[in-house]
Amino acid sequence: IVERRDFAEDLWSIRVSPGGDFSFKPGQYATLGVITPEKHIERAYSIVSAPHEPLVEFFMELVPQGELTPHLHKLKKGDTLTFRKVAKGRFTLDTQSGRTNHLLLSTVTGIAPFVSFVRSLHKDWKEGRFPAGHNLFLVEGASRSWEFGYRAEIEPVAAEAPWLKYVTSISRPWEDAPWK
């Protein structure tokens, strides 16, 4: 683990060095794990980072009674975990079908593959390689505003890029006085 960022008591992201070549498409996932005295525990996690980034980022939520996340939650910068070197999944952005409006709905950690889309497309857009005519409508829901781990990153992109609309909504405004 090269970097760890805590968003809330039960939400955090890690950036890991893949230890060599690791290629993936935005929207894919990787398998992470820890080796305990009893066994090797693994789970799939959507990749937050874009393929051009040197580190691979993941956004996680602690499941107190879960088999793996309590172990992952204890890890900090410099600790190691297992990382399978093959990305998987077909939850990728279709820019070839002729459909140009993409509705992306998520809650909390489900934003991970969409952040990967946004980072990749933002880079392509700045370099003049954005797929013409495509629009992303990203709607993210959470219980409270502090659960929007990537809001501070996505909002400026949405303000700059005409192809991205970003809407956040919370379900417990009475627990989140600063929410507007």
Side-chain angles (χ1 to χ4, degrees):
I1 298 174
V2 176
E3 180 182 327
R4 178 184 167 130
R5 185 169 51 155
D6 290 278
F7 298 103
E9 188 175 301
D10 60 347
L11 293 171
W12 75 100
S13 71
I14 57 171
R15 288 185 178 166
V16 301
S17 172
D21 289 337
F22 179 72
S23 61
F24 66 94
K25 294 177 183 171
Q28 289 191 303
Y29 65 88
T31 303
L32 302 179
V34 295
I35 299 171
T36 70
E38 297 80 34
K39 62 182 173 177
H40 184 193
I41 309 165
E42 293 181 304
R43 296 286 181 272
Y45 289 90
S46 293
I47 300 168
V48 174
S49 45
H52 67 272
E53 297 174 3
L55 300 175
V56 186
E57 185 173 348
F58 301 93
F59 185 31
M60 300 174 180
E61 181 173 8
L62 175 63
V63 178
Q65 303 307 315
E67 188 175 24
L68 180 58
T69 61
H71 295 288
L72 292 173
H73 191 256
K74 294 174 189 172
L75 300 178
K76 52 195 172 306
K77 181 179 176 179
D79 289 341
T80 60
L81 46 75
T82 62
F83 179 64
R84 291 198 183 190
K85 296 290 180 94
V86 178
K88 295 187 178 185
R90 290 192 261 158
F91 190 67
T92 56
L93 189 64
D94 178 5
T95 58
Q96 304 301 313
S97 69
R99 293 180 181 91
T100 57
N101 290 317
H102 308 277
L103 178 61
L104 312 173
L105 302 172
S106 78
T107 60
V108 192
T109 58
I111 195 80
F114 303 146
V115 175
S116 184
F117 292 170
V118 169
R119 288 178 180 179
S120 297
L121 291 171
H122 191 234
K123 180 180 187 293
D124 288 350
W125 180 65
K126 289 202 164 258
E127 294 174 356
R129 295 175 300 152
F130 185 81
H134 285 269
N135 297 294
L136 275 66
F137 301 91
L138 175 51
V139 180
E140 183 180 14
S143 296
R144 298 159 211 90
S145 63
W146 55 84
E147 296 172 338
F148 298 125
Y150 291 86
R151 181 178 178 199
E153 176 182 341
I154 297 171
E155 282 183 337
V157 176
E160 174 189 15
W163 48 267
L164 177 62
K165 304 293 181 247
Y166 179 54
V167 176
T168 54
S169 180
I170 63 170
S171 63
R172 297 173 180 256
W174 60 90
E175 293 179 7
D176 194 346
W179 175 255
K180 300 287 182 240

